Amino acid sequence: MPLPRASLPTRRGLLAMGGAIGIGAALAACGGGDKKSGADGTAGAGTSGPWSFKDDRGKTAETKSTPKNIVAYTGTAAALFDYGIQVKGVFGPTKTKDGKADVQAGDLDISKVEIIGNTYGEFSVEKYAALQPDVLITDMWQKDVLWYVPDNSKDKILKLAPSVALWAADQSMTTALQRRADLAKSLGADLNAKKFTDAKAAFEKASARLRAATRANPGIRVLLGSASPDLFYVSEAKRSCDTRYFQELGVRFVTPKVDSQGFFESLSWENVGKYPADVILMDNRTGTLQPADLGGKPTWAQLPAVKAHQVVPRLTEPIYSYARIAPIVDALAQTIEKANKAA
C-alpha cells in the first residue's frame, strides 16, 4: 500500500482512503455506448476510429479516436512509456527536490511532460485543461477511488475528459500487469513486438526462480516496512498486487494487525520489534526514511534482520510493465536464496 511522502503530514492522513482522498464512482464524459469491446475490454485499439476501454471499475471510457493527449498518474505513465505510449501530462511523484526524476517516473523524460502536480494534493486543473486531455488514467487502491486525484477538485477534473482506473491492490500482480498491457494495446502498442515478448519471458523466468527459491530456503520470514520519524509501518502483503503475487510464489510474509483500512499496522519505535523477521523489505520511495537515516533509532539496530544485514529496498508502488517487474522479482529471488534465518 502506498506510504507517505515528506510533503504529507502523516501516513494515516494519506491513507484515509474513503474520506480524505475518497472519490465517488460517478464520472463525467464516460457515457455508455453500444460499441462492442474485445476480451481485453478495448475497442478501436491503435486505429483512427472510435476508441473505448473498460476499466477496473466496470466503467467504459470512450473517445472518437485513439487518445493522443494522455494524462496519467506518474507510475502508470511510466508503465505506458515502457510499451511505447507517450503521455502529455503526469500527476504524482515525478521530480525530486534536486530536479531529478523520482523513482516512480521510471524511464520517463520528465522534461518532456507537463507536471500537473508533484505531490499528494497537488493537481493544477488549469494545466490539465490546457493540455486538452483525451483521457485521464490512474491507479485504484480502493473501489472507485482515483489515486492522487484530489477530492476538492475531482468534479472539475472529471468533467474535462473520460477517466480510466486500474487496480493496484487486492488482485495478483499478473492481473495488474495484464491490465496495463491491455490498456497499452488499446492505445496502439504492439504487444507482439520482440521487446515486449522478451520482457514477459524474463518475468516468467524470474517468477520461476522465486518459486524455486522459496522451496529451497523455506521458513524465511519477510517483513514489509516503511519508516517515518515517529512511526514504523508494517504492511499486509495480500493487499498490494506485487506482494500478493510473491505470496502465491511461496514468500512467507509477516502478517500485522492492520487498522480499519486493512493495509498496515502503525508501530511506535519502542515497539518496532513486535514482528521478528529474517528479511525486511523497506519502502524506498522519496520522503520515507531509509536504513541510513535510522542510526538514531536504537530499537532499529536491534532487529534481527538489521543485525544480519538483510534489509533490502522495495519499490512500494511498482511500475506495472513486464520490463520493470522482471528485475524486481529476480532481485527478490536472489534475496531469498541468500537469506539466513535471523529471527
Side-chain angles (χ1 to χ4, degrees):
M1 183 62 190
L3 308 180
R5 300 203 163 256
S7 59
L8 299 181
T10 64
R11 184 174 191 271
R12 183 172 299 277
L14 173 58
L15 292 176
M17 300 289 289
I21 59 173
I23 294 180
L27 297 180
C30 288
D34 58 1
K35 301 179 182 68
K36 294 183 179 180
S37 297
D40 58 3
T42 68
T47 70
S48 59
W51 173 88
S52 68
F53 186 86
K54 187 175 183 180
D55 74 0
D56 291 348
R57 297 166 299 178
K59 302 289 184 178
T60 299
E62 296 178 306
T63 58
K64 294 180 179 179
S65 61
T66 302
K68 299 299 181 185
N69 293 346
I70 301 169
V71 177
Y73 176 64
T74 302
T76 311
L80 291 174
F81 182 85
D82 288 344
Y83 287 108
I85 304 301
Q86 301 280 349
V87 304
K88 290 292 183 68
V90 295
F91 56 96
T94 307
K95 182 186 294 186
T96 60
K97 291 181 179 180
D98 59 4
K100 296 180 180 179
D102 189 278
V103 64
Q104 289 180 241
D107 284 338
L108 283 175
D109 184 343
I110 63 172
S111 69
K112 295 183 178 179
V113 294
E114 181 73 50
I115 300 176
I116 305 299
N118 196 55
T119 62
Y120 174 68
E122 288 184 357
F123 192 113
S124 172
V125 179
E126 292 75 18
K127 288 183 178 180
Y128 179 58
L131 291 177
Q132 297 183 309
D134 295 322
V135 66
L136 176 78
I137 303 170
T138 190
D139 288 346
M140 183 168 63
W141 286 86
Q142 283 192 338
K143 182 67 173 175
D144 300 326
V145 176
L146 276 64
W147 192 230
Y148 270 69
V149 176
D151 190 57
N152 61 3
S153 55
K154 64 175 183 179
D155 291 340
K156 292 180 180 178
I157 293 167
L158 296 178
K159 287 179 181 178
L160 295 173
S163 61
V164 170
L166 298 177
W167 277 114
D170 296 332
Q171 59 180 215
S172 182
M173 185 162 64
T174 52
T175 303
L177 284 164
Q178 186 60 54
R179 291 295 286 148
R180 273 76 177 171
D182 291 343
L183 177 59
K185 179 182 177 181
S186 80
L187 294 169
D190 178 8
L191 299 186
N192 293 319
K194 188 176 186 300
K195 176 182 178 180
F196 305 136
T197 58
D198 285 353
K200 187 172 184 179
F203 165 74
E204 292 168 348
K205 182 179 179 180
S207 297
R209 180 184 180 184
L210 179 55
R211 186 185 295 278
T214 62
R215 291 174 176 172
N217 197 7
I220 297 297
R221 289 172 55 109
V222 180
L223 182 147
L224 300 173
S226 183
S228 73
D230 299 321
L231 295 170
F232 185 75
Y233 306 97
V234 181
S235 292
E236 169 61 73
K238 69 181 180 181
R239 298 304 304 272
S240 297
C241 295
D242 58 335
T243 48
R244 185 183 185 122
Y245 181 59
F246 300 154
Q247 276 189 318
E248 294 169 359
L249 295 179
V251 178
R252 183 183 176 192
F253 287 101
V254 165
T255 302
K257 294 182 179 179
V258 297
D259 65 9
S260 60
Q261 295 297 327
F263 286 98
F264 65 91
E265 178 178 359
S266 306
L267 299 176
S268 67
W269 282 103
E270 290 77 12
N271 296 314
V272 73
K274 180 177 180 179
Y275 299 106
D278 305 300
V279 173
I280 298 176
L281 299 185
M282 281 287 285
D283 180 359
N284 74 340
R285 292 178 304 163
T286 305
T288 60
L289 297 183
Q290 299 305 303
D293 305 319
L294 300 176
K297 306 288 186 184
T299 51
W300 168 258
Q302 296 305 310
L303 295 178
V306 176
K307 288 183 175 181
H309 304 288
Q310 294 181 161
V311 179
V312 295
R314 176 199 173 208
L315 185 59
T316 304
E317 291 185 67
I319 296 169
Y320 284 119
S321 70
Y322 291 105
R324 286 281 166 182
I325 292 297
I328 292 174
V329 180
D330 202 57
L332 180 57
Q334 184 178 53
T335 295
I336 298 298
E337 289 166 354
K338 295 182 176 180
N340 296 311
K341 286 292 295 180

